[in-house]
Amino acid sequence: MLDRPRFLWLFFSLSGRVNPSAYVLAGLLPLLVQLFLLYQFSRAPQGTAASQYWALAWWIAVVVSTWSTFALTAKRFHDFGKPTYYALISLIVGAILLVILAFFKSDPGPNRYGKHTNAPAES
């Protein structure tokens, strides 16, 4: 049976600690919800009310899961005796990494992973 106060604490509270296995397992739930909503969006015919519904549901899930991931990470850092702001730093570093990778230029010409960018490797 679902223990609602404990569920809300796990995903939305910044207090307490979680061990590695709880961190990984709880972190999978928001990811699975997002993947399910994205799958439903991809199945809906483009431009219909259903596709707009699934897109909105996915965006809401992204916002909620961002907070829940932050809360889980904060509790995981608490397990190391570190303060909550370490979780904030990990969110910033993750976003910065995405930005940095977006600005790195591709290798000109072929490399060991393929002949062209934006294409699968040829065998």
Side-chain angles (χ1 to χ4, degrees):
M1 205 78 203
L2 177 66
D3 183 9
R4 184 174 293 230
R6 193 149 174 93
F7 180 84
L8 292 174
W9 165 80
L10 182 62
F11 287 103
F12 300 107
S13 174
L14 295 177
S15 67
R17 299 168 54 178
V18 293
N19 65 22
S21 60
Y23 178 70
V24 169
L25 290 174
L28 287 175
L29 181 62
L31 177 65
L32 291 174
V33 169
Q34 285 182 41
L35 289 174
F36 171 76
L37 294 172
L38 192 59
Y39 170 72
Q40 291 297 337
F41 171 73
S42 70
R43 291 185 55 217
Q46 211 171 23
T48 63
S51 72
Q52 291 176 352
Y53 166 78
W54 289 114
L56 177 63
W58 182 79
W59 278 109
I60 291 169
V62 166
V63 170
V64 171
S65 67
T66 299
W67 175 259
S68 67
T69 301
F70 175 73
L72 283 166
T73 303
K75 286 190 275 288
R76 185 68 193 117
F77 275 114
H78 292 171
D79 202 39
F80 296 121
K82 303 296 181 199
T84 300
Y85 70 83
Y86 274 51
L88 184 60
I89 292 169
S90 72
L91 284 177
I92 293 169
V93 169
I96 289 172
L97 180 61
L98 289 175
V99 170
I100 289 171
L101 289 176
F103 289 100
F104 270 100
K105 293 188 185 259
S106 301
D107 288 343
N111 66 18
R112 66 182 175 163
Y113 298 106
K115 292 183 179 182
H116 308 286
T117 60
N118 299 330
E122 298 169 0
S123 338

